[in-house]
Amino acid sequence: MAIEKTAGISRRSAAAIGLALAVGVGIGQLTPIGPAAAEKPVPPAAPGGGPQTPTAKVPLAGVDMTQTYVNPINLPGMAVRNIVGTMPPTDANVANTSQIPASLNQETWTAASGRTLASRSTVGFSRISENSARTGADWSALNVDGTIYLYASGAMQNAPNNNRTVWSTTDYLTWTPHQMNLGLVAPTVVQIGDKFYMAGNNTPVYQADSPTGPWTSMGNFLRPNGQTLSVGDVQFFLDTDGRLYLTYNIGSPIMGAELDPNNPRQFISDSVVMWTFDPRQEWQHIGDNKATYTHGYVEGSQLFKVGDTYYLSVASGGTEFTTYSTGVMSSDKPLSGFKETQQNPIGYGNNHPSAVYPNAGHGSFVLDKSGNLVFFYTYVIAYEEFFERRLGMDVCNVIPAGPKEGTIDCELSNTPQLAPGKKISGRDDVGLYNVATNSQAYWASSYAPGRNPYYGSDRSLSTWWEPADSDTAPTYIRGFGTVFHISAAQIQWKELGRTFTKDNAVQYTLEYKDIATNTWQPLVDRSTNTTAYTADYVTFDRVLTNAVRLKVLGTTENVKVGVHELNVFGENYNLAASKGMITP
C-alpha cells in the first residue's frame, strides 16, 4: 500500500536499494543481462541529514512495460479550445498605467489588491495564438467501488457547455471516455448512498443516479439563513462518519463549511477561513519566476482524509504558468487547526531538471481500493493560450513515522512508472531514462520555417518540429548519441491549425535502426489508429538501437501535425554491466 512508506525513503531513493525480482513475461518486458541483478549501494546521507547526492537509475528486472504509464497521461478525446489571439495594431494602449495609481495609493494592501493590480497592469497586452489547443485541467477524481472517475475543466466555457467528458479507469492504464449531458468548469462530484452530486464554478448543485449522469439541477448552494451562494473551485468531501463538507474559493482565502448530506446544496454551518495567501512563501507567488509578492491566486482547494488525519491541498502560482503548484496542510479536525508541517509545494524540484515541468497544479487526491494515494494534477503548457493544459498522475505517500510523520510525499515523474498498485519491491519507477534528448542527433524529411527538428526533442512543450507544407511523407529520425536498450516511447503531437476536433487521431509508424543489419525495423504500427491521443505512449519488445524513425501518415481529420516531443525510454546499465564497466 502506498501509505506504508518508510520514513525518509522516497521512491527515487528506493531505486538505489537494488534490482527487483521478475514478475512475469509480457509484451515490452524489460529483461536484465549480465551482472545487473547486483545491488547498488546507497550513498551516505549528507552531514546533518541534508539532501543526498542523486543516484543513477537502475532498471527493474522483468517489468511488463504494458503496465506502465508516462506523464502527461495518454488520455483520449481531450477537449479543444480555439481562442484566436493577435497583437494590437499599435502599442498606443499597451502597458496602460491609467488604472494603476488607485491600487498603488491604498495604504494597506490585501491579496485582493494584488489581484486587482495584476489585472490593471496587463491592460492592452495580448497573447498570440497560432493554433487551436488541446486542454484539460482542474482534475477531480471519484472512487466508485474500485472504478476511478475523472472530471475536468475543458475549454473553460460556461456551464453547461464546458467539457462534457468524464473518463473512467480500473487500472490507470486504459481510460474510457463517457459523454455527460452537461459540463462544468472545475467540477467536483461526491457519492452519497446511491446518489451522485456535482457542482462547479458558480453553478447549481446537480444530482444523478450514475457518476456519468444524466444530471438535473437542484438549485444553488444555500447559506444557513437560506441566502443563495455562488462560489468557485468547489470541492465536496464526504467524511467516514457520513458528514459532508465543502471547500471553495478562487483567490485567498480558501473557505470551508459543513453541508447537509441529505441536501448537499444546504450549508448547515457558517463558512470559516481555512487557508490564506502567504506572500512570504515563494511557491505561492504568481509567475514562472515567482517575482511577484502581491498575489498568488490561491485556489483549487481539496479536503481529504488518510487514516485519522485531514489534509487540505491548495494550488497557487497561476494556471497560466509552468510553476503552478500545490501545497498541503494537515489537521486532526475537518474545518480547523490546519498547520503546515511539511515542505511545500509537494513534489517540488525532486526530479529537476529531468522533468519537462517540475510542478503540479490544481487537481485532486484519491484513495483507491488498494490504499494507493493517487494525485491527479494540472500539467501546464500554456503556449497557445492561458488554458492549454494536460493531465499528470503520480502516487503519493504518507510518511508513517519519524520527524516527518504524517506528511504527504509526492515525487513528480516524466519517465515510465508502474501503474498504481503494481509496485515491485516497493518501487514504481522502472529505472529508465529518456534517451532521445541528444541535441546533435536528428534528421527530418523537411521542416517549416522556425520549426526545425531540434525542437522535437528539446524538453520543451512550447516548441515543436513541423514538416514543410509540401512534404507528403513527413519523417522524423531521432538519434540517441550512444546505444540503448529501449522499450517504450511517447509522442506528444502538435496538431496545427484551427479545424481539428477532440476526435482527431494521428496515424503513424515507429521503427528502430537494427544495429546488426543496419536496417530500419518495425516497432509500432498505428497506421489505422482512430483514437485521439495528444500524448501517445507506446510500449514494445526491448531492442538494442541508436535511433528511431517516425513516419507520420496523416490524421482522421486530414490535419497537419508536428511533434512537440518524441521521448524514447531505455537504459544501457545492463550493457555497461555486461562489458565490465559496472562492478557488481
PDB file of all heavy atoms in Angstrom, residues 33-45:
ATOM      1  N   ILE A  33      20.463  -8.502 -18.180  1.00  0.00           N
ATOM      2  CA  ILE A  33      21.509  -9.408 -18.629  1.00  0.00           C
ATOM      3  C   ILE A  33      22.743  -9.181 -17.788  1.00  0.00           C
ATOM      4  O   ILE A  33      22.875  -8.169 -17.111  1.00  0.00           O
ATOM      5  CB  ILE A  33      21.850  -9.182 -20.120  1.00  0.00           C
ATOM      6  CG1 ILE A  33      22.344  -7.738 -20.338  1.00  0.00           C
ATOM      7  CG2 ILE A  33      20.671  -9.455 -21.012  1.00  0.00           C
ATOM      8  CD1 ILE A  33      22.814  -7.471 -21.749  1.00  0.00           C
ATOM      9  N   GLY A  34      23.678 -10.151 -17.842  1.00  0.00           N
ATOM     10  CA  GLY A  34      24.945  -9.979 -17.134  1.00  0.00           C
ATOM     11  C   GLY A  34      24.735  -9.806 -15.644  1.00  0.00           C
ATOM     12  O   GLY A  34      23.811 -10.332 -15.044  1.00  0.00           O
ATOM     13  N   PRO A  35      25.588  -9.024 -14.999  1.00  0.00           N
ATOM     14  CA  PRO A  35      25.558  -8.898 -13.544  1.00  0.00           C
ATOM     15  C   PRO A  35      24.594  -7.835 -13.041  1.00  0.00           C
ATOM     16  O   PRO A  35      24.763  -7.306 -11.965  1.00  0.00           O
ATOM     17  CB  PRO A  35      27.004  -8.503 -13.219  1.00  0.00           C
ATOM     18  CG  PRO A  35      27.415  -7.701 -14.411  1.00  0.00           C
ATOM     19  CD  PRO A  35      26.750  -8.360 -15.593  1.00  0.00           C
ATOM     20  N   ALA A  36      23.539  -7.511 -13.836  1.00  0.00           N
ATOM     21  CA  ALA A  36      22.657  -6.403 -13.461  1.00  0.00           C
ATOM     22  C   ALA A  36      21.815  -6.693 -12.242  1.00  0.00           C
ATOM     23  O   ALA A  36      21.158  -5.811 -11.724  1.00  0.00           O
ATOM     24  CB  ALA A  36      21.739  -6.063 -14.633  1.00  0.00           C
ATOM     25  N   ALA A  37      21.773  -7.952 -11.785  1.00  0.00           N
ATOM     26  CA  ALA A  37      20.958  -8.275 -10.619  1.00  0.00           C
ATOM     27  C   ALA A  37      21.629  -7.858  -9.312  1.00  0.00           C
ATOM     28  O   ALA A  37      21.049  -7.980  -8.245  1.00  0.00           O
ATOM     29  CB  ALA A  37      20.665  -9.769 -10.590  1.00  0.00           C
ATOM     30  N   ALA A  38      22.853  -7.359  -9.394  1.00  0.00           N
ATOM     31  CA  ALA A  38      23.562  -6.960  -8.176  1.00  0.00           C
ATOM     32  C   ALA A  38      22.926  -5.726  -7.562  1.00  0.00           C
ATOM     33  O   ALA A  38      22.372  -4.887  -8.247  1.00  0.00           O
ATOM     34  CB  ALA A  38      25.024  -6.670  -8.512  1.00  0.00           C
ATOM     35  N   GLU A  39      23.027  -5.632  -6.254  1.00  0.00           N
ATOM     36  CA  GLU A  39      22.506  -4.456  -5.588  1.00  0.00           C
ATOM     37  C   GLU A  39      23.414  -3.267  -5.810  1.00  0.00           C
ATOM     38  O   GLU A  39      24.621  -3.398  -5.943  1.00  0.00           O
ATOM     39  CB  GLU A  39      22.358  -4.712  -4.091  1.00  0.00           C
ATOM     40  CG  GLU A  39      21.263  -5.711  -3.758  1.00  0.00           C
ATOM     41  CD  GLU A  39      21.020  -5.768  -2.271  1.00  0.00           C
ATOM     42  OE1 GLU A  39      21.822  -5.182  -1.522  1.00  0.00           O
ATOM     43  OE2 GLU A  39      20.028  -6.393  -1.866  1.00  0.00           O
ATOM     44  N   LYS A  40      22.767  -2.093  -5.836  1.00  0.00           N
ATOM     45  CA  LYS A  40      23.532  -0.860  -5.998  1.00  0.00           C
ATOM     46  C   LYS A  40      23.609  -0.176  -4.645  1.00  0.00           C
ATOM     47  O   LYS A  40      22.593   0.025  -4.009  1.00  0.00           O
ATOM     48  CB  LYS A  40      22.832   0.037  -7.018  1.00  0.00           C
ATOM     49  CG  LYS A  40      23.638   1.257  -7.414  1.00  0.00           C
ATOM     50  CD  LYS A  40      22.899   1.987  -8.521  1.00  0.00           C
ATOM     51  CE  LYS A  40      23.662   3.226  -8.960  1.00  0.00           C
ATOM     52  NZ  LYS A  40      24.908   2.913  -9.595  1.00  0.00           N
ATOM     53  N   PRO A  41      24.798   0.162  -4.150  1.00  0.00           N
ATOM     54  CA  PRO A  41      24.897   0.723  -2.801  1.00  0.00           C
ATOM     55  C   PRO A  41      24.248   2.093  -2.700  1.00  0.00           C
ATOM     56  O   PRO A  41      24.242   2.869  -3.649  1.00  0.00           O
ATOM     57  CB  PRO A  41      26.417   0.830  -2.587  1.00  0.00           C
ATOM     58  CG  PRO A  41      27.000   0.890  -3.964  1.00  0.00           C
ATOM     59  CD  PRO A  41      26.109   0.037  -4.812  1.00  0.00           C
ATOM     60  N   VAL A  42      23.679   2.356  -1.534  1.00  0.00           N
ATOM     61  CA  VAL A  42      23.078   3.644  -1.263  1.00  0.00           C
ATOM     62  C   VAL A  42      24.161   4.590  -0.738  1.00  0.00           C
ATOM     63  O   VAL A  42      24.868   4.240   0.204  1.00  0.00           O
ATOM     64  CB  VAL A  42      21.945   3.519  -0.225  1.00  0.00           C
ATOM     65  CG1 VAL A  42      21.355   4.884   0.084  1.00  0.00           C
ATOM     66  CG2 VAL A  42      20.879   2.562  -0.730  1.00  0.00           C
ATOM     67  N   PRO A  43      24.307   5.781  -1.340  1.00  0.00           N
ATOM     68  CA  PRO A  43      25.337   6.704  -0.858  1.00  0.00           C
ATOM     69  C   PRO A  43      25.016   7.199   0.539  1.00  0.00           C
ATOM     70  O   PRO A  43      23.851   7.249   0.934  1.00  0.00           O
ATOM     71  CB  PRO A  43      25.274   7.852  -1.875  1.00  0.00           C
ATOM     72  CG  PRO A  43      23.885   7.799  -2.430  1.00  0.00           C
ATOM     73  CD  PRO A  43      23.522   6.345  -2.449  1.00  0.00           C
ATOM     74  N   PRO A  44      26.018   7.552   1.307  1.00  0.00           N
ATOM     75  CA  PRO A  44      25.763   8.025   2.670  1.00  0.00           C
ATOM     76  C   PRO A  44      25.016   9.341   2.672  1.00  0.00           C
ATOM     77  O   PRO A  44      25.134  10.139   1.743  1.00  0.00           O
ATOM     78  CB  PRO A  44      27.185   8.182   3.245  1.00  0.00           C
ATOM     79  CG  PRO A  44      28.053   8.384   2.041  1.00  0.00           C
ATOM     80  CD  PRO A  44      27.449   7.556   0.960  1.00  0.00           C
ATOM     81  N   ALA A  45      24.234   9.541   3.717  1.00  0.00           N
ATOM     82  CA  ALA A  45      23.493  10.788   3.838  1.00  0.00           C
ATOM     83  C   ALA A  45      24.467  11.933   4.090  1.00  0.00           C
ATOM     84  O   ALA A  45      25.532  11.767   4.679  1.00  0.00           O
ATOM     85  CB  ALA A  45      22.485  10.686   4.986  1.00  0.00           C
TER      86      ALA A  45
END
